[in-house]
């Protein structure tokens, strides 16, 4: 390329643009456009909320663009400190929470509120990837054990908040790194078997009442029609009544008339299904599937093992978001507070996710700048 | 076990990752496909189910109750209508600052603190979107004041409520009946379609015509389909169906005759029924004393109800339909026909009346009212002089089986099947009945007593009137009915009800009718007729029969005071008649309880009824002029119905007011006297 030798700012901008994955970018833009549309409807055409959403989008885009510039070397070097910082803050929040009352997920620094558990969604896979990439793969038993510990500590801290949804996502993010590192299938099988046995025990002894209720509700939503079953009943009605073509944008009766709770956050998928129908859902799912696969593809193209492990984990975590949210809203998974990625209203989740995609795009490079082609 | 390779191989690790990524991509595809399959299930297979659920969520069907049909007499005088009431109401959600608005409203309108407290209480109970009534019965002035200031009270509004009203008050109350609030028992009796139709209705017919023709009077409910949000707040109207007003009913009752009947019975307890023999239309059906049906519409108070229930004169009881009285001698014409038909007597055969009757081989004497006896007596005289011995003998010779069966042809012991609820069939006794009821044999003496309408034999005033109508018709009979015509809409013509012809009462010789009717004519017009005095100066010829029924064995409440108890043992005074003889247009039965002899009391009263129905307005005026002693109300015309009604009302009120010793909500009385009776075309 003839611009390659031109020096100065313009060449820097060009290289920077070239480092972006345009295919993924277009897919993300389409998804966000679709999401903004449905959020407008779900918010009850609330301009105030849309303005905030726009600010979130701008912020998330900036964070993403910055993240693209972080090379895998840099990330690997930072991962340990970010992880330690994250765990420290989680402990701090927990202590603060014990002294206060009830759930404490937020850390307030001046007027800025931020959710430390959200950072762990990135910090944990980075830490585990950084640890395992130094080892020879597939990992030994000891390596897997240490990696598991690295995952479990923040998981438990987050569960204590209590925030089961985020904890599961953090756990998944860490686990996926181990999986991509080459966790032997036998061990994977054994773990799944162990989980299957442990599940009832966790259900009876390890869960809060409200969490247990959510699981029970899944099997019989009608048992608690006005309580925890209400969400599932109303969301399945919304989706089901959408039919093949949907009721049309801004025409979802369930959402418009306030029957659907949490309709602009965790249950926004029901609004989508109601207004755009099965056809819209098919488009949405294809878009999501494409983004996940593209993420896995980008991970494969990663510069080194660390980059690949982190990229694979981030892509699959994104998938878990989608699976848990749509599964919950359509009534086949228990109600867990997981948003529909990139669509549900909420700045923190949006920024974290876009940061993750930024990282994914930057994984191909070793250092900042133009040496990615080696 | 192979020794682990400790040297990191970038290439191997890339391959490992790649294979894991492929597996992951596959798992992602499968997992998302499973969720998508769920979506297909929800949005394709279950689409209709969830659409229905969604509609159930947001579509609220608000029923619009129909306006109840009106009830008129045969000439179009309104007997039951719907009273329009203006109320001030507001839903909690529509008013911003309720306490402040209420206090300002109290300054504007004479709203009491009680009303405000009641309103606040109702607000707490009801949905915040449902309008609640603050003040009922707004006057025109109050409406005007509020309307001028309505902008200061956003949320509050004046709306119309409809309430059943009986403008004539207690008049014909047993017959018309009343509506009351729908209660649990009514709800239980509803079928599925009725449940939907009555969704918005608050009242239902509880007795009389209101109950009998409930389905016609009620109409078809409409609805308004509204979109509501999750909190029940209406958003917009989706669909609407106007209700269909209930049918108007035109009764066969002639209100003028009805008023007269109640008026003449006001001094006694009793009943009078008049039937048009040509078609079975009931012209009047009075049962005295009566009650004010308006008391029942919005739930009668305990005090009022107890006063009515505990009244020894039992005003709630419809004597005309449910009262089982010993008919006494009034059944002698029918007994005579039965005897002639069976051949035990002939028009000329005679019996020796020696003042009493003895069954062959029995010492017991059955006395005739005339102690000296009627000596040799034949059918004609036996009727007009009401000889008991003749009919003792007749019944005895027929035997109870044949006698009962023959009398049943005239409707005794059977329900007439009139279009009114709770009709009694009274009793035409048989040997079987007695065995079942008392586990006792039927004695010949029982048969003998039945021959003069005593003993176990009882009849309702309606049955007597019906049997008299059959006499008047020479055997032809129509089922008595009260509904004469219906009208679906005010713009459509009335639809007449076709009278139901019943199988005629047959006779072996047609002249028997004339033979018996001649006796009945002689009762009133004959030189020695028992009711000759009451027929003096009649402008038409009529036939009748007196009756004086002994009261015995009726269990009376022993707590009544002595004077009342004594009165209760006096004879019932009865009279049946039809007129005019040539072409009978009216057949009637009248019974005045414990009033004495039939010729002395019931017969003159019956004459007044016949005059009322048969005389032309001019004749009535002449009568009024010639008879100054009787007041203007002895000759009513449609013009002064109001006056008459008030007279009856006053009499009734004086009687019942003494018993109802509470001064609460009798505000109806004031408005009632202002009601105008308006005939409609």
């Amino acid at each position: 390329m003839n611009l390659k030798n031109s020096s100065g700012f313009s060449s820097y901008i060009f290289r920077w643009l070239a480092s972006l994955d345009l295919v993924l970018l277009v897919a993300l833009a389409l998804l966000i456009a679709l999401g903004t549309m449905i959020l407008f409807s779900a918010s009850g055409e609330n301009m105030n909320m849309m303005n905030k959403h726009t600010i979130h989008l701008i912020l998330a885009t900036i964070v993403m663009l910055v993240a693209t510039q972080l090379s895998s070397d840099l990330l690997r070097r930072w991962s340990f400190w970010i992880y330690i910082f994250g765990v420290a803050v989680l402990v701090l929040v927990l202590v603060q929470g014990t002294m206060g009352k009830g759930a404490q997920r937020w850390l307030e620094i001046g007027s800025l509120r931020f959710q430390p558990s959200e950072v762990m969604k990135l910090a944990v896979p980075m830490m585990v990837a950084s640890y395992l990439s130094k080892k020879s793969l597939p990992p030994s038993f000891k390596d897997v054990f240490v990696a598991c510990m690295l995952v479990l500590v923040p998981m438990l801290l987050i569960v204590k908040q209590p925030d089961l949804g985020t904890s599961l996502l953090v756990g998944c993010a860490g686990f996926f790194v181990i999986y991509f590192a080459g966790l032997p299938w036998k061990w994977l099988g054994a773990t799944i078997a162990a989980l299957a046995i442990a599940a009832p025990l966790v259900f009876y002894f390890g869960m809060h009442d409200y969490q247990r209720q959510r699981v029970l509700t899944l099997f019989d939503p009608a048992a608690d029609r006005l309580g925890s079953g209400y969400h599932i009943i109303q969301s399945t009605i919304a989706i089901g009544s959408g039919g093949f073509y949907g009721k049309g944008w801004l025409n979802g009766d369930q959402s418009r008339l306030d029957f659907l709770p949490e309709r602009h956050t965790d249950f926004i998928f029901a609004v989508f299904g109601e207004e755009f129908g099965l056809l819209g859902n098919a488009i949405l799912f294809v878009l999501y599937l494409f983004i996940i696969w593209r993420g896995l593809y980008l991970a494969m193209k990663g510069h080194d093992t660390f980059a690949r492990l982190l990229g694979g984990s981030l892509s699959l975590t994104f998938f878990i978001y989608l699976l848990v949210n749509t599964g919950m809203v359509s009534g086949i998974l228990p109600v867990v507070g997981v948003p529909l990625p990139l669509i549900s209203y909420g700045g923190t989740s949006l920024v974290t996710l876009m940061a993750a995609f930024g990282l994914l795009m930057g994984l191909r490079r070793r250092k900042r700048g133009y040496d990615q082609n080696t | 076990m192979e020794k682990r390779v400790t040297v990191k191989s970038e290439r191997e690790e890339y391959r490992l990752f790649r294979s894991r990524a492929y597996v992951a991509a596959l798992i992602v595809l499968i997992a998302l496909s499973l969720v998508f399959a769920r979506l297909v299930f929800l949005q394709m297979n279950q689409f209709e189910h969830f659409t229905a659920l969604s509609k159930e969520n947001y579509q609220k069907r608000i029923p619009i109750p129909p306006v109840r049909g009106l009830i008129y007499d045969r000439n179009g005088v309104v007997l039951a209508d719907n009273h329009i009431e203006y109320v001030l109401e507001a839903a909690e959600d529509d008013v911003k600052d309720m306490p402040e608005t209420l206090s300002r409203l109290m300054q504007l309108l004479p709203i009491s603190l009680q009303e405000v407290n009641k309103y606040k209480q109702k607000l707490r109970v009801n949905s915040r979107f449902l309008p609640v009534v603050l003040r009922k019965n707004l006057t025109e002035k109050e409406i005007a004041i509020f309307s001028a200031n309505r902008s200061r009270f956003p949320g509050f509004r004046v709306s119309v409520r409809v309430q059943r009203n009986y403008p004539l008050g207690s008049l014909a109350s047993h017959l018309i009946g009343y509506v009351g609030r729908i209660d649990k028992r009514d709800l239980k009796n509803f079928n599925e379609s009725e449940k939907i139709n009555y969704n918005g209705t608050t009242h239902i017919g509880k007795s009389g015509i209101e109950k009998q023709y409930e389905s016609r009077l009620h109409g078809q409910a409409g609805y308004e389909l509204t979109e509501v949000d999750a909190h029940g707040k209406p958003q917009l109207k989706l669909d609407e169906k106007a209700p269909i007003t209930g049918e108007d009913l035109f009764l066969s009752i002639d209100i003028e005759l009805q008023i007269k009947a109640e008026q003449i019975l006001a001094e006694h307890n009793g009943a009078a029924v008049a039937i048009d023999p040509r078609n079975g239309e009931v012209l009047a059906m009075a049962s005295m004393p009566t009650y004010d049906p308006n008391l029942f519409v919005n739930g009668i108070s305990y005090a009022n109800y107890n006063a009515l229930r505990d009244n020894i004169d039992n005003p709630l009881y419809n004597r005309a339909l449910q009262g089982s009285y010993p008919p006494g001698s009034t059944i002698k014409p029918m007994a005579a026909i039965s005897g002639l038909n069976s051949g035990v007597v002939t028009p000329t055969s005679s019996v020796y009346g020696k003042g009493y009757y003895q069954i062959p081989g029995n010492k017991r004497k059955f006395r005739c009212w005339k102690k000296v006896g009627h000596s040799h007596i034949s059918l004609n005289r036996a009727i007009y002089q009401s000889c008991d011995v003749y009919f003792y003998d007749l019944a005895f010779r027929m035997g109870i089986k044949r006698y009962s069966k023959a009398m049943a042809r005239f409707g005794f012991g059977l329900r007439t099947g009139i279009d009114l609820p709770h009709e009694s069939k009274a009793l035409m006794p048989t040997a079987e009945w007695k065995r079942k009821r008392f586990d006792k044999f039927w004695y010949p003496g029982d048969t003998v007593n039945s021959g003069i309408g005593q003993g176990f034999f009882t009849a309702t005033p309606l049955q007597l009137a019906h049997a008299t109508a059959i006499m008047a018709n020479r055997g032809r009979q129509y089922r008595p009915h009260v509904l004469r015509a219906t009208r679906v809409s005010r713009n459509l013509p009335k639809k007449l009800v076709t009278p139901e012809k019943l199988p005629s009462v047959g006779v072996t010789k047609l002249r028997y009718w004339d033979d018996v009717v001649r006796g009945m004519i002689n009762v009133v017009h004959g030189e020695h007729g028992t009711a000759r005095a009451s027929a003096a100066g009649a402008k038409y010829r009529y036939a009748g029969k007196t009756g004086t029924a002994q009261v015995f064995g009726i269990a009376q409440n022993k707590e009544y005071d002595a004077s009342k108890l004594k009165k209760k043992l006096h004879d019932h005074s009865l009279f049946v008649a039809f007129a005019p003889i040539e072409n009978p247009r009216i057949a009637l039965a009248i019974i005045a309880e414990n009033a004495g002899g039939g010729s002395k009391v019931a017969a003159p009263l019956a004459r007044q009824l016949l005059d009322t129905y048969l005389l032309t307005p001019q004749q009535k005026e002449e009568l009024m002029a010639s008879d100054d002693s009787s007041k203007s109300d002895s000759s009513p015309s449609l013009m002064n119905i109001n006056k008459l009604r008030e007279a009856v009302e006053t009499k009734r009120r004086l009687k019942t007011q003494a018993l109802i010793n509470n001064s609460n909500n009798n505000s109806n009385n004031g408005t009632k006297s202002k009601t105008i009776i308006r005939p409609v075309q």
Side-chain angles (χ1 to χ4, degrees):
Chain A
M1 277 186 268
N2 56 355
L3 275 174
K4 195 170 181 180
N5 294 327
S6 62
S7 57
F9 189 66
S10 64
S11 106
Y12 175 77
I13 292 290
F14 171 77
R15 295 210 170 86
W16 182 68
L17 277 175
S19 74
L20 298 175
D21 184 60
L22 284 178
V23 177
L24 181 60
L25 219 49
V26 168
L28 287 175
L30 277 175
L31 186 65
I32 285 170
L34 212 54
T36 307
M37 248 176 99
I38 206 67
L39 181 63
F40 180 64
S41 174
S43 69
E45 304 175 32
N46 181 339
M47 280 322 289
N48 194 23
M49 199 182 279
M50 294 316 287
N51 289 339
K52 280 188 185 162
H53 181 64
T54 312
I55 293 170
H56 292 160
L57 281 178
I58 293 169
L59 200 67
T61 310
I62 293 170
V63 169
M64 182 195 76
L65 291 176
V66 170
T68 56
Q69 296 309 299
L70 305 174
S71 71
S72 60
D73 283 345
L74 187 74
L75 290 175
R76 190 170 55 208
R77 267 180 273 126
W78 283 6
S79 56
F80 177 71
W81 298 109
I82 297 174
Y83 180 80
I84 290 297
F85 169 77
V87 171
V89 174
L90 279 179
V91 171
L92 190 71
V93 163
L94 211 59
V95 170
Q96 209 180 49
T98 338
M99 291 191 293
K101 277 183 269 172
Q104 181 62 275
R105 300 174 186 179
W106 303 90
L107 189 70
E108 288 185 38
I109 306 162
S111 62
L112 199 78
R113 292 211 307 169
F114 112 110
Q115 224 174 334
S117 54
E118 208 64 35
V119 176
M120 296 314 276
K121 287 179 186 165
L122 295 176
V124 167
M126 274 164 69
M127 182 63 220
V128 178
S130 148
Y131 172 75
L132 286 177
S133 62
K134 286 178 204 142
K135 310 292 173 186
S136 126
L137 299 179
S140 68
F141 182 78
K142 191 200 103 193
D143 298 339
V144 171
F145 180 78
V146 172
C148 282
M149 283 304 117
L150 289 173
V151 178
L152 276 174
V153 169
M155 255 187 96
L156 287 174
L157 286 172
I158 297 168
V159 160
K160 277 282 164 195
Q161 285 185 347
D163 187 350
L164 189 64
T166 310
S167 171
L168 281 176
L169 287 172
V170 169
C172 284
F175 166 77
F176 289 143
V177 177
I178 303 172
Y179 162 77
F180 280 116
L183 176 72
W185 292 112
K186 273 187 281 183
W187 298 5
L188 189 63
T191 313
I192 290 171
L195 280 176
I197 293 164
L201 296 174
V202 172
F203 178 78
Y204 286 111
F205 304 109
M207 280 186 170
H208 285 264
D209 275 346
Y210 82 93
Q211 291 164 337
R212 229 191 321 265
Q213 190 58 50
R214 282 178 181 181
V215 177
L216 286 177
T217 301
L218 176 71
F219 297 108
D220 184 15
D224 191 8
R225 191 166 282 283
L226 292 175
S228 53
Y230 184 78
H231 288 58
I232 293 179
I233 290 171
Q234 295 300 346
S235 69
T236 47
I237 290 175
I239 295 174
S241 65
F244 186 77
Y245 293 104
K247 294 177 182 172
W249 189 46
L250 303 178
N251 276 330
D253 304 308
Q254 285 287 106
S255 105
R256 195 166 48 84
L257 299 168
D258 219 8
F259 287 100
L260 202 58
E262 316 271 354
R263 62 181 199 268
H264 61 280
T265 55
D266 288 357
F267 281 81
I268 197 166
F269 179 60
V271 183
F272 191 92
E274 184 180 25
E275 299 194 349
F276 295 138
L278 191 63
L279 199 61
N281 281 335
I283 293 168
L284 189 73
F285 269 55
V286 166
L287 210 48
Y288 270 122
L289 187 66
F290 181 80
I291 289 170
I292 295 160
W293 280 359
R294 186 69 188 176
L296 287 172
Y297 169 79
L298 288 177
M300 258 193 279
K301 295 277 167 201
H303 163 72
D304 55 14
T305 305
F306 168 77
R308 286 193 292 268
L309 294 182
L310 181 59
S313 164
L314 292 179
S315 305
L316 281 197
T317 307
F318 183 76
F319 155 71
I320 287 296
Y321 263 98
L322 177 68
L323 182 70
V324 171
N325 182 271
T326 53
M328 151 186 104
V329 174
S330 61
I332 48 176
L333 290 177
V335 176
V336 176
V338 172
L340 185 65
L342 299 182
I343 293 183
S344 283
Y345 179 78
T348 321
S349 143
L350 193 65
V351 169
T352 317
L353 284 164
M354 289 302 275
F357 281 109
L359 293 180
L360 258 174
M361 290 183 209
L363 289 177
R364 277 183 290 180
R365 65 176 78 218
R366 184 204 296 269
K367 293 178 184 136
R368 10 190 342 262
Y370 31 81
D371 53 352
Q372 79 271 28
N373 293 332
T374 323
Chain B
M1 207 186 196
E2 252 179 275
K3 195 176 182 292
R4 289 186 73 91
V5 183
T6 48
V7 179
K8 271 181 82 70
S9 158
E10 190 73 11
R11 202 174 176 76
E12 277 304 308
E13 285 184 11
Y14 174 74
R15 279 205 185 137
L16 179 65
F17 180 83
R18 200 176 57 183
S19 71
R20 291 280 159 132
Y22 285 149
V23 173
L26 191 66
I27 289 171
V28 168
L29 181 65
I30 292 167
L32 291 187
S33 301
L34 285 176
V35 175
F36 195 75
R38 166 73 173 172
L39 295 178
V40 171
F41 171 74
L42 292 179
Q43 301 191 298
M44 303 292 286
N45 298 33
Q46 298 280 85
F47 170 61
E48 271 159 35
H49 170 67
F50 284 116
T51 302
L53 285 181
S54 166
K55 279 188 181 157
E56 202 176 288
N57 257 348
Y58 75 86
Q59 292 187 351
K60 193 146 260 169
R61 185 184 279 255
I62 300 163
I64 308 172
V67 176
R68 198 173 175 85
L70 306 189
I71 304 175
Y72 301 93
D73 90 332
R74 65 188 298 126
N75 298 314
V77 176
V78 179
L79 304 180
D81 62 6
N82 301 306
H83 181 70
I84 290 171
E85 178 190 38
Y86 293 91
V87 295
L88 185 62
E89 61 177 18
E92 193 171 13
D93 196 59
D94 296 339
V95 183
K96 272 196 189 122
D97 187 350
M98 186 60 87
E100 194 263 347
T101 311
L102 282 177
S103 70
R104 277 194 292 128
L105 261 175
M106 282 175 81
Q107 286 163 16
L108 188 74
L109 297 171
I111 299 169
S112 70
L113 206 62
Q114 263 178 322
E115 282 171 300
V116 170
N117 288 337
K118 208 170 168 189
Y119 178 68
K120 283 181 181 163
Q121 202 183 336
K122 277 193 209 156
L123 282 184
R124 278 197 290 275
V125 180
N126 284 320
S127 151
R128 33 187 304 115
F129 307 110
L130 224 68
V132 174
V133 174
L134 169 62
R135 185 174 170 80
K136 287 187 213 171
N137 269 322
L138 291 179
T139 63
E140 273 177 45
K141 198 180 157 199
E142 285 168 358
I143 296 170
I145 293 173
F146 177 78
S147 302
N149 293 284
R150 70 170 305 167
S151 59
R152 286 173 54 211
F153 305 99
F156 274 91
R157 61 176 186 213
V158 171
S159 44
V160 179
R161 292 221 167 160
V162 179
Q163 186 185 301
R164 197 62 157 176
N165 178 50
Y166 302 100
L168 301 187
S170 67
L171 206 86
S173 57
H174 294 107
L175 176 83
I176 302 164
Y178 51 83
V179 297
R181 292 197 172 275
I182 294 174
D183 57 31
K184 278 184 196 139
R185 220 173 46 198
D186 299 319
L187 286 174
K188 229 172 70 187
N189 290 336
F190 283 153
N191 60 33
E192 282 311 306
S193 70
E194 277 172 335
K195 262 179 204 157
I196 295 167
N197 201 19
Y198 278 83
N199 217 338
T201 307
T202 52
H203 289 68
I204 190 167
K206 297 278 187 183
S207 78
I209 287 290
E210 293 273 33
K211 179 179 176 146
Q212 180 78 20
Y213 289 109
E214 173 58 32
S215 59
R216 286 181 162 206
L217 286 164
H218 180 265
Q220 286 294 316
Y223 63 83
E224 199 182 280
L225 199 63
T226 333
E227 186 184 280
V228 294
D229 68 10
H231 317 289
K233 192 177 170 72
Q235 302 289 313
L236 71 138
K237 196 189 282 179
L238 299 171
D239 190 16
E240 188 179 27
K241 190 185 149 220
I244 300 166
T245 304
E247 286 178 53
D248 291 337
L249 304 185
F250 290 82
L251 306 188
S252 55
I253 296 300
D254 182 322
I255 201 66
E256 200 185 339
L257 189 65
Q258 179 76 24
I259 289 169
K260 188 71 188 174
E262 294 195 8
Q263 197 195 347
I264 59 169
L265 282 168
E267 279 171 36
H268 314 278
N269 293 337
V273 177
I275 294 176
D276 187 334
R278 295 169 300 178
N279 47 29
E281 286 175 2
V282 174
L283 301 170
M285 181 183 274
S287 171
M288 292 301 280
T290 62
Y291 56 90
D292 184 355
N294 289 303
L295 291 174
F296 287 87
V297 174
N298 271 329
I300 189 165
S301 69
Y302 278 108
N304 281 345
Y305 186 71
N306 290 344
L308 284 172
R309 192 195 54 202
D310 298 340
N311 187 335
I312 50 164
D313 292 327
N314 210 347
L316 292 176
Y317 179 60
N318 185 357
R319 290 169 158 80
L321 212 56
Q322 293 158 297
S324 295
Y325 297 95
S329 305
T330 54
I331 53 96
K332 281 176 183 168
M334 301 80 185
I337 291 285
S338 306
L340 289 167
N341 264 344
S342 64
V344 299
V345 293
T346 67
T348 50
S349 68
S350 67
V351 163
Y352 185 75
K354 52 182 181 266
Y356 60 87
Y357 176 73
Q358 276 176 312
I359 296 166
N362 194 315
K363 291 231 162 97
R364 187 176 160 194
K365 287 177 181 173
F366 294 86
R367 299 192 180 282
C368 182
W369 65 272
K370 197 171 175 183
K371 290 198 181 77
V372 294
H374 292 102
S375 69
H376 282 285
I377 194 160
S378 65
L379 182 80
N380 184 19
R381 199 149 74 90
I383 291 173
Y384 73 74
Q385 291 216 320
S386 203
C387 174
D388 289 343
V389 172
Y390 186 92
F391 287 96
Y392 288 144
D393 182 58
L394 182 148
F396 175 74
R397 285 205 277 151
M398 272 184 89
I400 190 61
K401 201 169 174 185
R402 261 205 296 175
Y403 181 70
S404 272
K405 213 171 156 190
M407 290 304 270
R409 296 300 310 274
F410 285 94
F412 291 111
L414 303 167
R415 290 193 181 88
T416 62
I418 192 173
D419 48 348
L420 283 172
H422 313 304
E423 186 192 1
S424 160
K425 56 182 176 183
L427 183 65
M428 184 68 239
T430 60
E432 278 158 44
W433 167 82
K434 194 182 175 189
R435 203 180 56 240
K436 270 190 200 151
R437 179 76 174 75
F438 296 112
D439 197 20
K440 277 184 184 157
F441 288 113
W442 182 267
Y443 298 113
D446 295 329
T447 313
V448 169
N449 271 330
S450 302
I452 59 155
Q454 296 275 177
F456 297 115
F457 191 175
T458 59
T460 65
L462 175 67
Q463 282 174 333
L464 281 178
H466 179 53
T468 309
I470 297 172
M471 286 301 306
N473 259 346
R474 311 292 205 262
R476 267 185 301 124
Q477 61 168 327
Y478 295 90
R479 194 181 298 289
H481 59 277
V482 180
L483 184 67
R484 185 165 185 266
T486 58
R487 187 172 65 179
V488 176
S489 151
R490 239 130 276 195
N491 312 320
L492 292 173
K494 286 190 267 186
K495 201 178 150 228
L496 286 168
V497 170
T498 320
E500 187 189 345
K501 201 169 186 306
L502 296 173
S504 298
V505 177
V507 284
T508 43
K509 280 182 187 160
L510 267 176
R511 60 164 290 206
Y512 290 165
W513 290 115
D514 292 329
D515 290 327
V516 174
V517 167
R518 195 180 310 118
M520 288 179 78
I521 295 168
N522 287 335
V523 168
V524 285
H525 298 299
E527 214 176 320
H528 304 286
T530 49
R532 64 192 176 279
S534 61
K539 292 268 194 307
Y540 46 87
R541 278 163 59 79
Y542 65 108
K545 181 71 196 77
T546 53
T548 307
Q550 285 172 9
V551 180
F552 56 89
I554 298 167
Q556 291 289 339
N557 199 327
K558 303 287 189 295
E559 282 167 42
Y560 299 154
D561 61 312
S563 65
K564 201 79 198 174
L565 194 71
K566 225 172 159 187
K567 170 82 173 163
K568 282 284 178 195
L569 288 174
H570 291 183
D571 290 343
H572 290 329
S573 176
L574 295 99
F575 194 73
V576 297
F578 63 85
I581 292 160
E582 303 74 30
N583 180 22
R585 284 153 55 200
I586 179 170
L588 62 81
I590 184 166
I591 173 160
E593 287 178 13
N594 315 112
S599 52
K600 206 175 75 210
V601 182
L605 296 180
R607 167 72 192 283
Q608 287 191 49
L609 285 185
L610 293 175
D611 277 355
T612 304
Y613 191 68
L614 295 171
L615 295 187
T616 60
Q618 289 98 316
Q619 286 174 318
K620 282 178 198 168
E621 267 171 46
E622 282 168 33
L623 198 73
M624 221 175 0
S626 67
D627 189 5
D628 277 341
S629 61
S630 64
K631 290 182 192 112
S632 62
D633 57 78
S634 66
S635 154
S637 73
L638 208 59
M639 315 272 278
N640 54 19
I641 275 176
N642 242 349
K643 240 177 173 178
L644 276 171
R645 185 184 52 72
E646 268 170 355
V648 175
E649 198 85 324
T650 323
K651 270 184 190 167
R652 177 196 65 85
R653 221 179 297 159
L654 285 173
K655 229 177 155 184
T656 54
Q657 205 81 352
L659 286 148
I660 302 173
N661 267 338
N662 68 359
S663 54
N664 67 351
N665 59 357
N666 255 350
S667 56
N668 306 18
N669 290 345
T671 53
K672 246 182 285 154
S673 55
K674 271 181 245 154
T675 318
I676 301 150
I677 298 180
R678 52 200 152 84
V680 296
Q681 65 274 50

